[in-house]
Every structure is written in structure tokens, then in C-alpha cells.
Amino acid sequence: MWAFLAPQIIKPPSSPTRLLFSTSRSSSKPPLCSLSSNPSTLSNNNQLIQSLCKQGNLKQALQALSQEPNPTQRTYELLILSCFDRNSLSDGLRVHRHLSGDGSDQDPFLATKLINMYSELDSIDDARKVFDKIRQRTIFVWNAIFRALTLAGEGLEVLGLYRQMNRTEIQSDRFTYTFVLKACVASEASPELLTKVKEIHAHILRNEFESQVHIMTTLVDVYSWFWCVGYAASVFDKMPVRNVVSWSAMIACYANNGKPFEALELFREMMLEINDSFPNSVTMVSVLQACAALAALEQGKVLHGFILRRRLDSILPVISALVTMYGRCGKLELGQRVFDQTKDKDVVLWNSLISSYGIHGFGNKAIQIFKEMIENGVSPSHVSFGSVLGACSHAGLVEEGKMLFESMVKEHGMYPTAHHYACMVDLLGRANRLDEATKIVEEMRIEPGPLVWGALLGSCRIHCNVELAERACRRLFELEPTNAGNYVLLADIYAQADMWREVKRVKQLLKARGLQKVPGRSWIEIERKLHSFMSVDEFNPHYEQLHALLFKLSTEMKEKGYVPRTDVVLYKLDDEEKEKIVLGHSEKLAVAFGLINSSHGEPIRVTKNLRLCEDCHTFAKLISKFAEREILIRDVNRYHHFRNGVCSCGDYW
């Protein structure tokens, strides 16, 4: 239904069936076939054919068609509709041949219906033949082929035809702009296509279509697809009229582009301003996704109550988003309860539960759920395998993961994607089986991409394998020249190996290319309010108080054997300066804020945008013991449950 982990492209307001079989006439000229529909003048055969079509007797209608020398436009329209309803391409071709025989295929109205019929029957080549043959191309004919090609993923062809149309006297309408905008995301995103989106945006403004809420909503959606959040927000802010779909599109844009704070803030604004309708299921999926990203459990619970009151809890994408939200907020038992209370479960819901257990390190439980899904007659998807392989990686279940990977082709006829190969490389690499991981890369049936080489580089960082890291980086620097994270990882590996000259070289390369390391950032929710902390954030009004508490805790823990891991600092500084830097890591600040501002015995939940460093991991373990508090930290990879000096990951992450 909806894919809530990805940007959603809003469909036009007309459903495919209504668009396909609208009774409006697209041609101002008389059609080539008879237009008569007056019962007194309509031939008995035309009446019979139309009646049979309405009754669903397509075969008999086609037999009667062969006896009718002058089918009317309405007769042909109902025949085309019947072919679509019966999902019969062969019958559709038969009607098309009859149209061609008497010249009715040159009627723009019927040509539009034929193109849409072929599109719905997944026969884009036949749709294109209809378009190529017709001489009088109205805007409805152009829109039909734009829509058909966009749905078929032929976005570049749509843009080529759009340029061709603009050289004629035909003027774009609101549907034209919607289809050509969607065509820009029907292919892989590229800078050239983004330029085309901007050109279309300029056309829309010049032709004064900015008041069309549907066009501007689609534009927001398309800019989101290209990660242009600023452009999307600018379009949204200038919209003279907004509806629930517009608000949902902008919220989804923030949620899908790493801005969960903004998504929640906009949702609150929406609830205050919107009058004509309540948030719908699409809105709730995006807002729940934002809560999941921030581990905002209390806000997530409030949303769950709203969903129950609005009776949206029967919609599977909403349920899946709820399960994911609870899992990523550290409340697996609540996610499990939502899952158990759902009767009809689809593969997306199963995937949500598998992924939830996986990020918490419960690999065996994730495998068990994966098997239960198959036993319940639900076929695994590519996402299912990605989730269960990731679960195996977090739990170190190497042999189990290898068996699941092999079962993709052998048992399910499903070829691995780059994501699945990356999961296997990560699984083997974490287990220090780098030779096997390298062999996977070398024997891949597809070209290794950034995901795969990145997984190998991450494994090299864990086990400080300089030679293999350099090999991975050579490819990553070619594939992702602007990804600062790869340079930082390589510098980190060099620092672990005391290769400071190489660390300096990588830093100079970063500077020369104008790249910056993504700063560490952590979030904590206190009384439904989210608080954000940056590493060594001296401008934060709470910094002095938090640093004083951390310094006191650090001093006390040193007396009990704590030794700060200053090797995570990629600078040649004295130990005292390095200790100050690691003491100011964002997750430590967030934990300290939680200790001060939450009740004793209440768990502290923190989310971080990067991997948890070794020193913060050790520090959190010790604090959980000395402060007698349960601490949950979710980093970019997985969840860590710290309790009584022990982490749920078993120091394997």
C-alpha cells in the first residue's frame, strides 16, 4: 500500500479508473465514429453491445460488435472499459483492431481511452503505438501518454515528449504538470533531472498555476525525492491554499530527509491550523517515523491514542509504523502487543517486527519471527531478508546468516541486492572473518556499490585492518567523492594504527574537497519535550552544569578502575585535552541531562546520529551501575541496553 520508509509520491486526485474512463469528450471536432446516443436513433446492435458491456458480458458484446457497421463512440468507450475491467489484453487488442478498421482510432477521445487501457494492462508498447499513430493530439492525449510512461518508469521519455509538446500550440494543464513532475522521479535521481524539476517549476509559475494545490503538493513531494528540503519548504510556505495532503507531503519530506524535529513541529502546526479534515493515515505514518527517529516514546504514545480515537488502527501501514516506532523507542513489548492484536498481517508488518528485534540484538528471536512469517503463508520480501540478515549481524550469528542468505535463491527464487551483500559483508566483517567478507565482494553477481564497500570499511575500522581499509576507500572515494564519513573512518583507522602522518593527509584531503565531518548529535525526551545536544557544545545553556556532573562522575569512576578511551580522538593532543573532548561527547551530555531531569528508577533513553564510540560505551556501562539507572542508547546501527554495568550487545557492535 504505502511505503513508509521511503518518500511517497502523491497520486493525482482522479483514480486510474476515473481518469481512464471519464465521460468528458476531449475533441472539439466530431469524432470519426457515430456520436448518436439517442435511443430512437441508436441502432439495436449498439444498444445491445452497450447493455452487454454494462452487464459484464464482454465476449457476447464482442460478438455483437462484429455485426455492427457503425459503432458509436459510447459503444467503443464501454468496450474499452470492459477490457480493462476483465483485465483482458487480448480483447483490448481486438477492440483496437476494430477501431483501426473504421478509422475510429483517430478520435482523440478514444485514443486517450486506449492509451490508458494499455497502461493499466501493462502494455506500454501498445500505448505508445496508439500515440504515435494519432494525428490530432489534444492535451488529453498528451496527458494520457505522459501518465502511461511515468507509471511504466519511462521518465526520461516523458521529458523528451514534453519538450516536443512545448514546441506545439498545446498548452499544459494541471494534470500535465503533475505527470511530468512525477516523470522526474520515475528514473534514478540525478543533478540533470533536478534541473528539469526547477525548469518545470518555472513553467508553473509563469503560467500562473501556483494556486493549484495539487500541482504544488506534487512539487513538494518531488523536491523531497531529490533531498531538496529547502526548496520543498519554500514551495509549501508560499502555497495560498493547503489541504491535508499538502501538510502530509511536507511532514513526510522532513521525516524522510533526516529532519524529524521539523516534522513533529510541522505536525503540531498542522493540528492548530487545519480545519477541513483531520490528519489521515499517510500523515500519521510520517509523524510516527519522526518519533521513531528521535526515540520520542511519550509523543509516540500520544499519537497512538490519537490513532485509536480516529480509528486508524485498522490500516496496516499505520500499524507497521507503530510497531517500528515502539521498537525504535526501546519498547519492544508494546510493539509486540500491537503486532499480536492485528489479525490480518502483511509482509510489511512482519518486517517491522523482525527489524525491531534485530536492532536490539535479539538475533535468534528475529530469525524465529522470520520463520513464523513463512509458516503463516506470507512470502518474505527483499526487505524481510535485509532485516533478518541485519539481525544476524548485530547478534554475531554468522552461520545462521549464511544459511538465510543462501536460501534466498535456493528456496525463494530471489536474487540478492547490494543491500543483502552489504549485510553479509557486515556480518562476516564484524565477526573478524574479513577474508570471507572480501571473497563475498569479489564474487558478487552485481557490481559492488557504496553500500558493500562501506560495510567492508566499517569492519576494517572495528578490527583495524589498514590494508583492506585503503582498498575499500579507493573505490569509495571514486563512488562517493563527497561522503565525508568515508574519509573520517579511514582517518580513524590510521589513528588506531598510530599512523598520524596518514591521519593528517586524510584531513588535508577533506579540507581540500570542502567536506566536513558530520558532528555528533544526541537527543533525549523529557516530559514529552525533546532536547538536543552536540558534541562539545559549549554554547548549550546546560553545558557547564552537565560537564561538571560528568567530570564528577568520571573522577569517581576512575577511582574504581575507569580508564578513558582517548584513542578515539583523531588529534595529537595531550591526554588531558583528549579526556576533555571525549567527556563532551553528545551522548554523555544527553545521559547527564537525563540523570538530572528524570525521576530515580526511570529509564534514560538517548538517540545518537552516529556510531557509539568505545569510551561512551564503557562510560554508559559504569554509570548504569553506579547510578543504578537503566540507560538505553540507540546509535546509527543498533540499540544498547545498559543495566548494572552490562550492555545487552555483549560489547559486540
Side-chain angles (χ1 to χ4, degrees):
M1 202 166 168
W2 296 285
F4 63 88
L5 297 173
Q8 182 180 340
I9 301 301
I10 309 294
K11 293 186 177 180
S14 297
S15 68
T17 302
R18 292 207 305 269
L19 181 62
L20 185 57
F21 302 111
S22 167
T23 56
S24 63
R25 299 302 186 251
S26 63
S27 174
S28 58
K29 298 181 181 180
L32 298 177
C33 56
S34 171
L35 278 171
S36 175
S37 59
N38 188 325
S40 62
T41 59
L42 191 64
S43 72
N44 288 334
N45 238 11
N46 273 295
Q47 284 184 321
L48 176 62
I49 295 168
Q50 293 180 23
S51 177
L52 289 169
C53 287
K54 291 174 182 178
Q55 294 169 16
N57 296 322
L58 178 58
K59 295 300 181 184
Q60 293 180 41
L62 289 172
Q63 289 173 6
L65 177 65
S66 64
Q67 306 299 319
E68 173 53 57
N70 296 306
T72 65
Q73 190 186 63
R74 178 59 174 165
T75 296
Y76 275 132
E77 181 185 7
L78 288 174
L79 283 165
I80 294 170
L81 171 60
S82 296
C83 293
F84 165 70
D85 286 341
R86 296 293 297 273
N87 195 31
S88 177
L89 178 59
S90 60
D91 289 331
L93 290 166
R94 183 176 172 184
V95 173
H96 187 183
R97 284 194 296 270
H98 211 283
L99 277 156
S100 301
D102 64 16
S104 297
D105 60 336
Q106 288 301 310
D107 175 2
F109 173 76
L110 293 176
T112 300
K113 302 306 171 187
L114 279 172
I115 290 170
N116 287 322
M117 177 195 73
Y118 282 131
S119 172
E120 298 299 329
L121 297 178
D122 297 323
S123 185
I124 192 64
D125 290 339
D126 288 308
R128 186 61 200 260
K129 287 174 185 176
V130 175
F131 176 80
D132 290 340
K133 189 174 179 181
I134 188 167
R135 292 184 293 273
Q136 184 188 352
R137 293 172 179 169
T138 65
I139 187 59
F140 301 95
V141 174
W142 283 102
N143 285 346
I145 197 64
F146 291 157
R147 175 180 178 275
L149 290 169
T150 298
L151 290 175
E154 301 293 341
L156 295 178
E157 189 174 357
V158 172
L159 297 175
L161 286 173
Y162 180 60
R163 284 192 295 270
Q164 183 180 330
M165 189 193 85
N166 285 334
R167 291 193 289 267
T168 71
E169 295 180 356
I170 301 294
Q171 296 296 314
S172 300
D173 66 6
R174 64 192 184 99
F175 293 109
T176 313
Y177 289 123
T178 298
F179 296 143
V180 294
L181 281 170
K182 289 183 179 181
C184 294
V185 299
S187 306
E188 286 191 19
S190 69
E192 294 79 13
L193 287 173
L194 177 57
T195 300
K196 180 56 64 177
V197 173
K198 293 177 181 178
E199 290 176 6
I200 297 167
H201 188 178
H203 277 228
I204 291 167
L205 297 178
R206 278 199 300 270
N207 291 301
E208 299 181 348
F209 275 92
E210 64 267 34
S211 62
Q212 294 284 339
V213 64
H214 182 64
I215 294 176
M216 305 313 284
T217 299
T218 304
L219 194 55
V220 168
D221 233 349
V222 172
Y223 275 133
S224 171
W225 188 269
F226 284 92
W227 310 290
C228 296
V229 181
Y231 287 130
S234 177
V235 172
F236 179 79
D237 291 341
K238 293 175 183 176
M239 288 177 68
V241 179
R242 300 169 186 160
N243 58 21
V244 66
V245 182
S246 312
W247 286 93
S248 299
M250 194 62 226
I251 291 169
C253 176
Y254 283 134
N256 293 325
N257 286 280
K259 293 186 176 292
F261 266 114
E262 291 81 351
L264 291 177
E265 186 60 36
L266 190 62
F267 176 70
R268 280 190 285 271
E269 187 180 334
M270 172 188 179
M271 295 297 288
L272 292 173
E273 289 192 14
I274 198 162
N275 297 316
D276 59 339
S277 60
F278 282 95
N280 59 23
S281 59
V282 178
T283 320
M284 300 315 300
V285 167
S286 297
V287 180
L288 287 169
Q289 183 180 339
C291 287
L294 295 167
L297 176 62
E298 295 308 313
Q299 293 193 43
K301 286 181 177 179
V302 172
L303 290 171
H304 191 177
F306 178 84
I307 287 165
L308 293 173
R309 289 193 300 275
R310 294 295 303 162
R311 297 181 180 178
L312 298 173
D313 55 321
S314 61
I315 300 172
L316 280 174
V318 175
I319 299 169
S320 298
L322 273 172
V323 171
T324 298
M325 182 273 294
Y326 279 127
R328 292 185 177 273
C329 290
K331 278 289 186 180
L332 275 171
E333 67 278 12
L334 293 182
Q336 181 72 60
R337 187 186 303 169
V338 172
F339 178 87
D340 292 340
Q341 290 172 351
T342 306
K343 293 181 179 179
D344 299 318
K345 304 176 178 70
D346 65 356
V347 67
V348 178
L349 180 55
W350 283 98
N351 291 345
S352 296
L353 192 65
I354 294 167
S355 176
S356 294
Y357 279 101
I359 64 168
H360 284 268
F362 300 123
N364 285 315
K365 179 67 174 178
I367 294 172
Q368 176 192 331
I369 296 167
F370 178 82
K371 291 178 178 177
E372 286 177 10
M373 176 181 71
I374 296 173
E375 290 169 1
N376 278 272
V378 178
S379 298
S381 64
H382 279 92
V383 175
S384 309
F385 277 103
S387 298
V388 75
L389 288 173
C392 291
S393 181
H394 293 313
L397 303 175
V398 177
E399 297 307 319
E400 292 87 342
K402 289 171 72 173
M403 289 175 62
L404 285 164
F405 184 74
E406 291 170 3
S407 75
M408 286 187 70
V409 176
K410 291 181 179 178
E411 297 178 22
H412 300 281
M414 197 180 294
Y415 284 104
T417 66
H419 176 65
H420 302 115
Y421 282 113
C423 286
M424 286 305 297
V425 169
D426 185 65
L427 171 64
L428 293 165
R430 285 178 188 274
N432 203 14
R433 293 163 70 162
L434 288 168
D435 288 342
E436 290 181 61
T438 305
K439 188 177 180 183
I440 288 265
V441 177
E442 292 170 345
E443 295 180 354
M444 281 177 59
R445 57 180 293 273
I446 57 177
E447 186 68 23
L451 278 176
V452 176
W453 288 111
L456 189 62
L457 179 61
S459 299
C460 293
R461 182 243 179 265
I462 295 171
H463 302 291
C464 197
N465 189 313
V466 175
E467 183 180 351
L468 193 53
E470 290 176 334
R471 178 184 170 187
C473 279
R474 278 193 291 271
R475 288 295 294 127
L476 284 168
F477 292 166
E478 293 173 5
L479 295 167
E480 297 181 316
T482 60
N483 186 344
N486 297 326
Y487 298 84
V488 173
L489 269 179
L490 181 61
D492 194 7
I493 294 166
Y494 282 142
Q496 287 182 50
D498 286 329
M499 299 170 66
W500 293 102
R501 182 180 296 177
E502 296 304 315
V503 172
K504 184 178 180 181
R505 182 179 63 81
V506 174
K507 286 184 177 180
Q508 289 173 341
L509 195 58
L510 265 172
K511 186 176 180 180
R513 296 187 176 180
L515 304 176
Q516 289 186 335
K517 176 185 176 182
V518 176
R521 189 179 182 187
S522 295
W523 298 269
I524 185 170
E525 182 187 38
I526 300 292
E527 295 181 352
R528 297 182 187 173
K529 184 178 180 181
L530 288 161
H531 302 267
S532 174
F533 299 90
M534 303 284 283
S535 291
V536 196
D537 188 3
E538 296 181 359
F539 295 103
N540 189 298
H542 306 287
Y543 182 76
E544 288 188 10
Q545 180 189 21
L546 299 178
H547 194 270
L549 174 60
L550 289 170
F551 182 79
K552 179 175 180 292
L553 290 170
S554 176
T555 302
E556 291 176 359
M557 290 191 297
K558 279 181 182 178
E559 295 173 358
K560 299 183 181 296
Y562 165 60
V563 179
R565 291 285 304 272
T566 56
D567 56 323
V568 300
V569 180
L570 303 183
Y571 299 95
K572 290 197 73 173
L573 303 169
D574 59 47
D575 287 344
E576 186 176 340
E577 284 298 315
K578 286 186 176 183
E579 281 189 33
K580 185 177 179 180
I581 290 173
V582 296
L583 201 60
H585 279 187
S586 64
E587 56 268 55
K588 289 193 181 79
L589 296 172
V591 168
F593 188 82
L595 288 171
I596 294 171
N597 293 284
S598 62
S599 304
H600 184 74
E602 183 181 343
I604 296 173
R605 291 182 173 84
V606 173
T607 303
K608 189 183 180 184
N609 65 332
L610 302 173
R611 182 182 184 272
L612 194 64
C613 82
E614 287 81 355
D615 183 68
C616 288
H617 193 266
T618 301
F619 198 85
K621 285 198 297 184
L622 293 171
I623 287 182
S624 71
K625 182 177 181 179
F626 296 135
E628 297 181 344
R629 297 288 291 273
E630 181 183 4
I631 300 171
L632 293 85
I633 301 179
R634 196 190 79 213
D635 68 8
V636 71
N637 291 324
R638 59 163 299 153
Y639 244 107
H640 298 265
H641 295 248
F642 300 96
R643 187 180 297 161
N644 196 30
V646 178
C647 179
S648 61
C649 75
D651 299 338
Y652 184 90
W653 86 100

